Each structure stands twice: as C-alpha cells, then as structure tokens.
Amino acid sequence: MADREIVFVFPTTHNALAGEKSLLMAGIDVRVMTRPSSLGDGCGICLRIDEDQRNDAECALRDNDVLVGGIYIKSSDNGKTVYEESVPSDAR
C-alpha cells in the first residue's frame, strides 16, 4: 500500500461499479474496499487508488459522468488509518 491513497465514495452501488469500470478503462490501478462507517452513509463499497493517479482518475470519472459522493485521502498516523475529506482537484 502506498503511504497515501485516494478513496472515492459513491451514493449507490451502480455509481461505484460505473466508477470502477471507468477507472479500469483509463488504465488506473483501482481497488475495491468496504466503505468505512466513518465516511458516512451511502454505497457499501468504495474505490481506492494511489495518490499519484488522482488527477487521471478524477478526469475519467468526470468524463464518464460517474456521480461521486466524496473524495478522501487515506493515510496512516501511528498505525491508525485516517481519512481526511478532500475537494475535487478542479475545485482547488
């Protein structure tokens, strides 16, 4: 696992599956994981990618009209997993 990863959460399973397909078609290494309860309600799965693929991933999701419910930066702090909410790259 990379030091930091980007986690995309989705409002529905349909959105998550469409997101996975879009990322795979864009050549992005995507991993499916169970949505942590600390990230709120919604679809029970989310997608994670290496941080260095974030811009390409956001473009692929946007280009394919995939509805994303949130973006988080996943990191480790003294062995504890931490999720920090983030804004889309184009909103910075």
Side-chain angles (χ1 to χ4, degrees):
M1 180 177 90
D3 289 348
R4 289 170 33 125
E5 295 179 308
I6 302 300
V7 176
F8 295 97
V9 297
F10 302 89
T12 68
T13 302
H14 174 79
N15 296 129
L17 294 175
E20 180 185 26
K21 181 179 178 181
S22 297
L23 296 176
L24 289 172
M25 288 176 35
I28 296 169
D29 181 26
V30 59
R31 285 136 351 249
V32 177
M33 64 182 264
T34 302
R35 181 182 184 144
S37 58
S38 64
L39 301 186
D41 296 329
C43 174
I45 60 173
C46 55
L47 304 176
R48 72 177 198 249
I49 61 165
D50 291 338
E51 187 175 30
D52 63 351
Q53 294 186 303
R54 179 181 178 156
N55 289 336
D56 292 338
E58 286 187 38
C59 286
L61 294 170
R62 189 172 39 255
D63 290 349
N64 288 286
D65 297 320
V66 176
L67 182 60
V68 175
I71 302 172
Y72 295 84
I73 299 170
K74 179 184 177 194
S75 61
S76 183
D77 184 18
N78 292 326
K80 181 180 178 196
T81 301
V82 177
Y83 295 94
E84 176 186 346
E85 191 167 9
S86 183
V87 296
S89 295
D90 62 352
R92 292 184 197 170

